[in-house]
Amino acid sequence: MDTLDVSRWQFGITTVYHFIFVPLTIGLAPLIAGMQTAWVLTGNPAWYRLTRFFGKLFLINFALGVATGIVQEFQFGMNWSEYSRFVGDVFGAPLAMEGLAAFFFESTFLGLWIFGWTRLPRLVHLACIWVVAIAVNLSAFFIIAANSWMQHPVGARVNPDTGRAELTSIVALFTNNTAIAAFSHAVFGAFLTAGAFVAAVCAWWMVRSHQDEKARTMFRPAAMMGAVVVLVSAVGLAVTGDVQGKLMFEQQPMKMASAESLCHTETDPAFSVLTVGTHNNCDGVIHLIEVPYVLPILAKGEFEGVRLEGVEDLQQQYVEKFGPGDYRPNLFVTYWAFRAMIGLLAVPALFALTVLWLTRGGRIPRSRWFSRFALVTLPTPFLANSAGWVFTEMGRQPWVVVPNPTGDPMIRLTVADGVSGHPVGMVVLSLVTFTVIYGALAVVWFWLIRRYTIEGPQEHDSEPAPPLPPGGDDVAPLSFAY
Amino acid sequence: MALPDIWFVVMAGLFVGFFVLEGFDFGVGMLMSFFGRAGGAESERHRRAALNTIGPVWDGNEVWLITAGGAMFAAFPDWYATMFSGLYLPLLLILVTMILRVVAIEWRGKVDDPQWRRWADLGIAAGSWVPAVLWGVAFAALVRGLPVDAEKQLRPGFSDLVNVYTLLGGLTTAGLFLLHGSVFVALKTDGAVRDDALRFANRLAIPVTVVLATFGLWTQLSYGKTWTWVVLIVAGLCHFAAMTRVWRRTGEGWAFASTCVVVGALVVLIFGAMYPYLMRSTIDPAYSLTIANAASSQYTLTIMSWAAVVFAPMVLIYQGWTYWVFRQRISADRIPDPVGLARRR
């Protein structure tokens, strides 16, 4: 292990941790805003209790999302200082704007929402959670635009005097085709995560309380709402994933060739479903099960006559273009992460259909297998999100800024050239520290989420907060206190 | 004034925001256990009363740091890269303890169990004490100069980071934040907690004055410009104004406004002492990172200026509004009973 490997592991571990909690935040904020809107509009206390119940789970999750996010803001400078010098002029802008235009909004208005239940007029309080819901999605756009620039740099040139990438068009950066596709894909992924979370938790509760009135008034509508969100998001994921795939075939051919373990350039290659072998970058890869036509459609939207370049041929091209080096990602990881991401989508989609079928016409399901199915569904969107990001990020190796085939060829940087020159022991120290602390906090997070889910909506949440006269609560107990 | 200079001022402004707002957050976090101890039988309610003075706002206050980091990356990439890779271990400590503080504040009330709350209080204390000291150490080291080499790399030795001046800097920020925090709690609470806060502020007054005056004068005499004398004098007058109010145990509003100015003036003094360097090299002044040689391109700075002009006033307005919404004083008897779940079922 050298500094490069340790730094890569550290960034990978901290980012994957961060992105366990982030999609739930991004997706759940609008769903909670929707629940609270339903309560404000209809006055139905069931939606109030759901808002409070999921609001608590949201806050438990939000804390860890914030905590793991702080590190990301500084890790570029700490471990990837050479990268930061090269791209700072371009990459820093969306990061700073994310802080100014999104983080401030979400943190401030979340504080208002948490503490403002009896302090703010009802509509103002509702507006607060909507601001949070919009801001968390806006922050996702900024950071994904920054990431997409690394995958497909646009709107920049290298200044020969300084040897740095310099921004030439912020509009190009924010309308980067990769950014738009990746953002919509990630947001649909987040909505699927939150939809599946709501649907699974409420389905489990519906079975558990099927004799109770609240199964019918509260958990059934919420489970159905979650299921609909899942199905819409699944369709959205398929469409945006297809768009993203076509972009990648064009702009990052090496990544897609690795996703298919396609070693040699072929015309109309078949889509590979199962591959065995060492996957050691094309030494002994055997495709066992293949489906024809699928890959050409995925790549170009045509049935035949599609020529796709293989890993080995691309490697040769890159050596000619960029000099000697190994330009191949890890085939095993890219191949299986891609399949895991797509395959794991089946579970929540199937579950959502089951929910809608079992609750049709006012029915309340009571079968045990259904509540077990709900529990099995819970982790799958999280795993799919992680797999997708692992594929995206490890598929661009060895680059940290991937050369754009139609852009300034000087804008490129390998991860080896981007890392800070630290002694390995220092980076190991931070790697171990973050891994241990994040690990411990994730255990507590899981325990808290589980505990609060099993406890269900609380007694003291049963009555809607009374509307208060202005300033009339100056002596009353606070509606919420840490 | 050229754009890089303007962005140096913006960076100073962001750190003023961070130090003024997080300053009392850190102060409250550092003092929380003292409020508990002073509360006697009502210990838990007193702790919570203190913590809830920053309840709705601490997260938004912390974003000032995140945004300062992002702005530094965008406006002075070389500064961002050199500073954070060079001050690796202090930053690691700051990040780890700030992680603990975030989750400890949010999760503290989720479980109704004394042991659980002890762990949370430990996290809040660590996440308040460590950054309060280390930010002072880090900025004092920046003012003093660090061994930046010809490749803009920084590998500081132990004595570059830990010496009398930087330790005094750490002591100054921690002391000032303690005072700032206790005045803030006095302003935001009623009854016994307010009395305790005023007592803490009284006890802190003399030691903080001594430390602050020593650090301020040292910085001014060794690294100051002529105009920073004004800043130092303003800080001194406001500190005196705050102290007189604390002695009289009344007028916390003015006392707090004064400590805000003192904290802000300290940051201005530090940035003024640094100017025109971002990181002065102790190896060879020619290796220093300056505002001119570390700044981003004109285009990026222009775009960022527009973003700042549009969003910064909005941030100030709605954060100000938040403080207005939660302007009521909190007393220990207004803290609701714990609603956390039992530790075990």
Side-chain angles (χ1 to χ4, degrees), chain A residues 73 79 89 430 452 476 482, chain B residues 52 80 88 110 297 300 334:
Chain A
E73 189 81 16
N79 284 350
D89 197 279
S430 60
Y452 269 84
Y482 281 127
Chain B
N52 279 285
Y80 173 83
Y88 197 86
K110 294 292 168 205
S297 64
T300 298
R334 290 194 57 204

Side-chain angles (χ1 to χ4, degrees), chain A residues 10 56 59-64 66-79 81-85 87-97 99-101 103-112 114-116 119-120 124 128 164 166-171 208 420-423 426-427 429-430 433-434 437-438 441-442 444-445 447-448 451-452 454-455 458 460 473-482, chain B residues 7 14 48 51-52 54-71 73-75 77-82 84-89 91-92 95-96 98-100 102-103 105-111 116 135 151-155 289 293-300 303-304 307-308 311-312 314-315 318-319 321-322 324-330 333-336 339-345:
Chain A
Q10 178 169 332
K56 252 177 236 168
L59 293 180
I60 293 170
N61 185 64
F62 190 85
L64 205 42
V66 169
T68 54
I70 301 173
V71 175
Q72 304 296 19
E73 189 81 16
F74 297 97
Q75 208 177 160
F76 299 108
M78 289 170 80
N79 284 350
S81 53
E82 297 316 302
Y83 161 83
S84 304
R85 282 181 218 286
V87 305
D89 197 279
V90 187
F91 191 83
L95 241 66
M97 289 187 201
L100 265 174
F103 287 162
F104 269 124
F105 272 103
E106 63 183 77
S107 56
T108 309
F109 282 87
L110 190 65
L112 282 160
I114 300 172
F115 286 83
R119 221 29 237 170
L120 291 168
V124 177
C128 288
R164 296 188 316 197
E166 285 185 358
L167 189 62
T168 55
S169 164
I170 191 81
V171 177
R208 187 181 157 128
S420 303
H422 291 312
M426 201 157 85
V427 190
L429 175 73
S430 60
T433 312
F434 284 132
I437 289 182
Y438 281 16
L441 293 179
V444 179
W445 167 85
W447 182 82
L448 276 173
R451 187 79 178 72
Y452 269 84
I454 292 175
E455 201 68 21
Q458 298 281 289
H460 58 261
D473 62 337
D474 275 351
V475 285
L478 303 172
S479 64
F480 178 87
Y482 281 127
Chain B
W7 271 87
L14 285 165
R48 290 179 67 200
L51 178 61
N52 279 285
I54 58 166
V57 294
W58 67 272
D59 195 6
N61 295 345
E62 197 177 85
V63 174
W64 284 85
L65 173 65
I66 309 290
T67 303
F73 199 170
D78 275 320
W79 188 20
Y80 173 83
T82 303
F84 291 139
S85 63
L87 304 183
Y88 197 86
L89 295 178
L91 192 67
L92 178 66
L95 291 178
V96 165
M98 283 183 86
I99 290 172
L100 295 178
V102 172
V103 294
I105 292 178
E106 289 281 0
W107 290 353
R108 186 181 191 277
K110 294 292 168 205
V111 179
W116 173 273
W135 279 116
E151 269 76 53
K152 299 178 176 174
Q153 299 293 339
L154 168 62
R155 290 194 183 74
L289 297 183
N293 74 15
S296 287
S297 64
Q298 191 76 9
Y299 178 77
T300 298
I303 293 289
M304 290 307 301
F311 287 106
M314 287 165 75
V315 171
Y318 63 68
Q319 285 208 335
W321 178 64
T322 309
W324 175 251
V325 167
F326 299 107
R327 66 192 176 279
Q328 24 137 219
R329 286 177 185 262
I330 297 171
D333 50 338
R334 290 194 57 204
I335 297 294
V339 291
L341 302 177
R343 191 165 184 186
R344 291 188 185 77
R345 286 171 65 77

Side-chain angles (χ1 to χ4, degrees), chain A residues 166-190:
Chain A
E166 285 185 358
L167 189 62
T168 55
S169 164
I170 191 81
V171 177
L173 187 147
F174 282 135
T175 56
N176 187 353
N177 53 21
T178 310
I180 291 165
F183 169 68
S184 32
H185 197 61
V187 164
F188 278 122

Side-chain angles (χ1 to χ4, degrees), chain A residues 153 156-159 403-404 406-412:
Chain A
R157 64 174 191 120
V158 166
N159 182 341
N404 180 348
T406 59
D408 179 350
M410 290 310 291
I411 299 192
R412 61 171 203 269

Side-chain angles (χ1 to χ4, degrees), chain B residues 5-23:
Chain B
D5 288 308
I6 291 175
W7 271 87
F8 181 73
V9 175
V10 172
M11 287 308 307
L14 285 165
F15 274 103
V16 167
F18 169 63
F19 272 58
V20 168
L21 296 172
E22 279 282 273

